[in-house]
């Protein structure tokens, strides 16, 4: 990758417990101390959608339950009606939740969000580590809220870990040689349970279908299972991919 491309890209790779294994935030720290992996806040776009499906599965929905993919308009008090569009502008009718996620269907995702409740979606996203302010309107499910690549990768690590939140960390301990008391200790790792193990297992399977037959087929790993979610935001400015195997969780953002 050329230098100017590195200035518009970022990468984070984590262990399952949140330990940072690799990070690229720019071409040269000497030239710029702005770390795009940690400091750049961007709209999450469709990379946010797994949190909608996580909330639904935790309420008892199954991957084979169906949801309608058809035009939808939501009336918002004090504002104009909102009508989300699918990327293809086409509709598939009644589809499974698995298809809705793997094909990244906007109208079906919003229908599901409204059925399970926006507050529940917000809670799941926040508990997984999506720490910044989340939108309160119906566009929440399409990822209009901003996050950093490190936060998003950490949130996906929580899904990969079976529904237990993960806080990324890069330091285990800092101490002066010969001193038993550390100056700084680890400030991350495993946290609280967010969704049930059953819901997490179902979501991981659904996210594998994203790579096997959905929008993320280019991320297939020969001979290795992987799961994840792709995105290009509505402005076509930001492109995300966040995914995981049994060993690592990785996120990539490109402007």
């Amino acid at each position: 990758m050329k230098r100017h491309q590195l200035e518009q890209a970022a990468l984070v790779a984590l262990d399952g417990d949140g330990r940072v294994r690799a990070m690229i935030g720019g071409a040269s720290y000497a030239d710029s101390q702005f770390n795009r992996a940690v400091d750049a806040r961007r709209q999450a776009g469709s990379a946010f959608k797994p949190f909608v499906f996580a909330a639904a599965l935790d309420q008892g929905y199954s991957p084979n339950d169906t949801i309608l993919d058809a035009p939808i308009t939501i009336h918002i008090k004090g504002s104009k009606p909102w009508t989300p569009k699918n990327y293809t502008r086409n509709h598939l009718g009644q589809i499974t939740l698995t298809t809705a996620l793997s094909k990244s269907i906007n109208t079906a995702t919003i229908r599901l969000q409204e059925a399970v409740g926006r507050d529940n979606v917000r809670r799941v996203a926040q508990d997984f580590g999506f720490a910044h302010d989340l939108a309160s309107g119906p566009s929440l499910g399409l990822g209009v809220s901003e996050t950093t690549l490190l936060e998003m990768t950490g949130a996906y690590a929580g899904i990969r870990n079976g529904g237990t939140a993960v806080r990324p960390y890069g330091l285990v301990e800092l101490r002066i040689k010969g001193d038993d008391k550390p100056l700084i200790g680890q400030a991350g790792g495993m946290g609280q349970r967010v969704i049930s193990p059953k819901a997490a297992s179902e979501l991981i399977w659904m996210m594998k279908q994203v790579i096997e037959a959905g929008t993320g087929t280019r991320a297939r790993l020969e001979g290795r299972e992987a799961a994840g979610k792709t995105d290009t935001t509505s402005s076509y400015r930001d492109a995300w991919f966040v995914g995981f195997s049994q060993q690592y969780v990785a996120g990539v953002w490109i402007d």
Side-chain angles (χ1 to χ4, degrees):
M1 185 176 286
K2 296 179 180 179
R3 181 185 179 89
H4 75 277
Q5 292 174 314
L6 281 172
E7 292 292 2
Q8 303 301 324
L11 176 145
V12 171
L14 309 174
D15 277 350
D17 72 344
R19 184 182 306 181
V20 176
R21 286 299 191 179
M23 180 183 291
I24 299 173
S28 171
Y29 186 80
D31 293 339
S32 172
Q33 287 76 55
F34 185 76
N35 185 339
R36 285 164 179 78
V38 176
D39 301 321
R41 292 177 56 181
R42 301 289 193 182
Q43 285 188 338
S46 290
F48 184 88
K49 287 177 181 174
F51 303 125
V52 177
F53 290 83
L57 294 168
D58 204 44
Q59 289 185 23
Y61 284 78
S62 87
N64 291 323
D65 283 343
T66 59
I67 194 80
L68 182 62
D69 170 25
I72 180 174
T73 297
I74 297 177
H75 296 276
I76 307 167
K77 187 175 181 180
S79 184
K80 295 180 179 179
W82 181 67
T83 303
K85 306 290 186 183
N86 289 337
Y87 176 77
T88 63
R89 298 298 191 268
N90 296 321
H91 299 283
L92 302 175
Q94 207 75 20
I95 57 176
T96 66
L97 267 60
T98 300
T99 298
L101 180 61
S102 67
K103 303 295 185 184
S104 202
I105 306 296
N106 289 342
T107 59
T109 300
I110 294 304
R111 274 194 172 84
L112 184 63
Q113 170 189 264
E114 297 304 288
V116 303
R118 291 175 216 161
D119 286 344
N120 291 319
V121 174
R122 286 165 58 90
R123 177 194 63 78
V124 166
Q126 288 173 332
D127 287 353
F128 269 130
F130 200 109
H132 295 304
D133 292 338
L134 287 165
S136 58
S139 58
L140 166 70
L142 300 187
V144 297
S145 304
E146 294 181 336
T147 189
T148 69
L149 181 61
L150 182 64
E151 283 181 352
M152 184 62 87
T153 308
Y156 273 52
I159 297 171
R160 177 250 180 226
N161 278 344
T164 298
V166 171
R167 183 180 176 189
Y169 66 97
L171 177 70
V172 175
E173 190 175 82
L174 175 65
R175 67 172 66 203
I176 298 173
K177 186 176 180 180
D179 193 339
D180 292 336
K181 186 177 181 180
L183 297 174
I184 302 174
Q186 179 179 320
M190 303 291 286
Q192 65 179 353
R193 174 158 296 284
V194 180
I195 59 176
S196 71
K198 179 177 182 291
S201 177
E202 291 171 334
L203 181 58
I204 290 169
W205 181 84
M206 292 167 67
M207 292 172 72
K208 287 179 180 177
Q209 309 318 303
V210 173
I211 291 178
E212 289 300 315
T215 59
T217 54
R218 290 185 179 182
R220 286 177 183 162
L221 298 173
E222 190 66 30
R224 182 176 299 178
E225 287 191 342
K229 187 70 183 75
T230 59
D231 167 69
T232 301
T233 58
S234 58
S235 63
Y236 300 99
R237 179 182 179 186
D238 304 298
W240 298 75
F241 176 77
V242 189
F244 48 86
S245 65
Q246 288 187 343
Q247 292 78 23
Y248 298 106
V249 186
V252 178
W253 165 83
I254 300 174
D255 189 351

